[in-house]
Amino acid sequence: MIPWEKIDTAKIPGSDEELRLMRRGKEFSIKLGTNELMNNRLSGSEAALATLAAKQIEKVAKPVVLIGGLGMGFTLRAALTVLGSKAKIVVSELVPAVVAWARGPMAEVFGDSLEDSRVSIRETDVAEIIRARNSAFDAILLDVDNGPEGLTRKGNDALYNASGLKAAKTALRPGGVLAVWSSGPNPAFTKRLGSAGFDVNEVNIRATGRGGGARHVIWIARKKS
């Protein structure tokens, strides 16, 4: 068995926590303490975040999409595959080192996705982008922290509380979609989405995207007209 090798560490802004990038052969893992936040062999549910949201906006000729969290790029690469050539994708990543890892040790995992002309990378808190925009996006995809019950940063709660959902709704165009990834169910969050003025569909999906792996949850919340 090939042992795990620590490649790099990175502090999370606004937190005392530290991310660790680990590698074992061609397998990469990003960990926080004893928790594995992501692994390049388990990409199915993060990719589904993009494909399920894209289905909801397929009639939009020039969709503008905001992705919160670069991670290992699963959601971004899926979005590039399913969205048309006229799409614009803004990716917000809070931890600059994660972007550096994508261009460095994980470059083979990311391929040419970061150089795609449809993509722009912002090294900032996605909440700041959301709160600064009005009717700017056809879809907002959030794969931030561990979902509504975060692990890495207390400030992430502001994305998922009533105020954060109101801001997301304001940032969406009429009929726009807020898609949220989570490591598990959260009935209180489902209720908050409805109270915030969204039509909500909760999708359970395996981490691999097929029959295996942990059960994750994706909320597809459409802004009511």
Side-chain angles (χ1 to χ4, degrees):
M1 177 69 72
I2 302 173
W4 283 102
E5 173 190 5
K6 184 167 70 174
I7 303 300
D8 197 11
T9 63
K11 287 286 187 181
I12 301 171
S15 167
D16 294 328
E17 302 284 1
E18 185 178 76
L19 297 179
R20 304 192 314 281
L21 176 64
M22 309 293 292
R23 179 171 60 195
R24 181 172 64 185
K26 291 189 176 182
E27 182 179 3
F28 288 91
S29 173
I30 295 179
K31 293 187 175 182
L32 174 75
T34 59
N35 295 298
E36 181 175 67
L37 299 182
M38 59 199 79
N39 184 300
N40 65 311
R41 292 188 174 180
L42 298 171
S43 62
S45 62
E46 288 89 347
L49 180 66
T51 55
L52 291 171
K55 184 69 175 176
Q56 299 296 314
I57 59 170
E58 60 185 353
K59 294 182 180 180
V60 179
K62 298 179 181 180
V64 180
V65 176
L66 173 62
I67 298 177
L70 175 62
M72 291 187 175
F74 307 133
T75 301
L76 171 60
R77 292 193 295 281
L80 288 170
T81 298
V82 297
L83 295 173
S85 60
K86 296 181 180 180
K88 178 181 178 183
I89 303 172
V90 179
V91 182
S92 178
E93 173 55 54
L94 178 67
V95 185
V98 171
V99 180
W101 295 345
R103 300 187 186 280
M106 290 196 293
E108 186 175 345
V109 174
F110 277 79
D112 60 359
S113 60
L114 298 184
E115 280 65 53
D116 193 294
S117 61
R118 292 171 289 175
V119 177
S120 60
I121 305 294
R122 299 279 305 278
E123 294 182 5
T124 188
D125 189 339
V126 67
E128 293 184 6
I129 296 178
I130 290 172
R131 293 182 186 280
R133 303 293 183 93
N134 235 347
S135 299
F137 303 107
D138 297 290
I140 298 173
L141 283 52
L142 296 181
D143 182 7
V144 176
D145 208 323
N146 219 34
E149 292 185 1
L151 290 173
T152 67
R153 181 172 174 264
K154 190 66 176 175
N156 289 331
D157 293 345
L159 284 169
Y160 304 111
N161 62 22
S163 176
L165 295 180
K166 181 180 178 181
K169 184 182 176 185
T170 299
L172 287 168
R173 293 170 176 169
V177 172
L178 173 65
V180 179
W181 181 94
S182 175
S183 62
N186 189 316
F189 181 66
T190 303
K191 185 176 180 179
R192 282 202 302 277
L193 283 167
S195 298
F198 290 96
D199 288 321
V200 185
N201 182 25
E202 185 175 331
V203 181
N204 293 289
I205 192 163
R206 294 283 192 173
T208 60
R210 299 183 294 277
R215 293 181 183 273
H216 295 158
V217 176
I218 295 172
W219 289 272
I220 300 296
R222 180 179 288 277
K223 178 179 178 178
K224 296 179 181 178
S225 302

